[in-house]
Amino acid sequence: MAPSHAALDSAARAHRIDGRAIARSLDEETAAAVRAIVARDGAPPGLAVVLVGEDPASEVYVGRKIEACLRVGILSFEHRLPAQTTQDALLTLIARLNADPTIHGILVQVPLPPHIDEGMVLSAIDPAKDVDGFHPVNVGRLSTGTGGLVPCTPLGVMMLLDSVIDDMKGMDAVVIGKSNIVGKPIAMLLLEREATVTVTHIETRGLPDIVRKADIVVAAAGAPRLVKGFWVKEGAVIIDVGITRMPGEGGKARLVGDVAFDEVQHARAVTPVPGGVGPMTIACLLANTVKAAQMRNAQKK
Ligand code: NAD
């Protein structure tokens, strides 16, 4: 039987996984790796960030990524193109960046304007420079467990899990959401660790019962407070990827996750929103840029 809310309220508080602190320590490692690359090659890794159009959310994300590059010493090259840019012009820019030896990572901010075929553009990026890990070659490598560049948010989710779980072998994990950029790659990474993985989605029947069996819950649905306290097994580890902007006090937006954080204090550990997965995504983008530079150097030897 599910524990009552009163019982849940009186339980010990779950460990709050501090994504900001874990992202900071990853940034320190990345900055050290950048210094080592500069010492060896005389120049830092370069990241090209391509933004097409004036989507305000995309402008904010791109601005944060560029600021983050500065923090760890990665050189960023911003390419801002007007909304009416043709697909051919964008593909020409990508071909130029693919051939440019000073560029180690290429990031095309999505969504792209509707007249541009996103799949075609992302597939045009050299897989060795695909720091978002969206290229079909990198997707294939992830699903066969053969290396490559892994999408940033899923990579961050695994680091958060690693901060509280020594060995995921045999654990029951449920992933809520099956998108190509979040849910599916997370499921692949959990499988690589030999967890037993159930992937669920909007059409899944009996989601609360599935979640109740899980030792690891990764919620990536974009459905605010979907995961209730009584869905969660005592001692589970919960990673909340979801971000929904809701109206907050004084007309300011507030970010709400997919998990009813206050109801899951009987879990072993849980990430807050904000301050959980969010900070890891950019830190992993920087780490992927360094990884791309290191992979290129290893090839040269
Ligand atoms: P998406 O819309 O592409 O996919 C959502 C998935 O969740 C779908 O598979 C859908 O079937 C499933 N889903 C939706 N509602 C559900 C419900 N009620 N029950 C069960 N399954 C449900 O979204 P996405 O790009 O995968 O992102 C998911 C969430 O993660 C969003 O809130 C997004 O903002 C957030 N996100 C956060 C970060 C970060 O850095 N923290 C990065 C990427 C995405």
Side-chain angles (χ1 to χ4, degrees), residues 61 134 152-154 157 175-186 199-204 207 219-224 226 231 240-245 256-258 273 276-282:
Y61 295 141
F134 296 160
C152 304
T153 300
V157 165
V175 181
I176 309 175
K178 62 162 185 69
S179 73
N180 289 335
I181 59 171
V182 189
K184 280 186 205 162
I186 291 170
V199 185
T200 65
H201 47 79
I202 190 78
E203 300 297 343
T204 297
L207 184 59
L226 171 71
W231 293 22
D240 190 351
V241 186
I243 300 176
T244 305
R245 270 169 215 283
V256 179
D258 284 357
V273 175
V277 176
M280 294 302 293
T281 298
I282 291 185

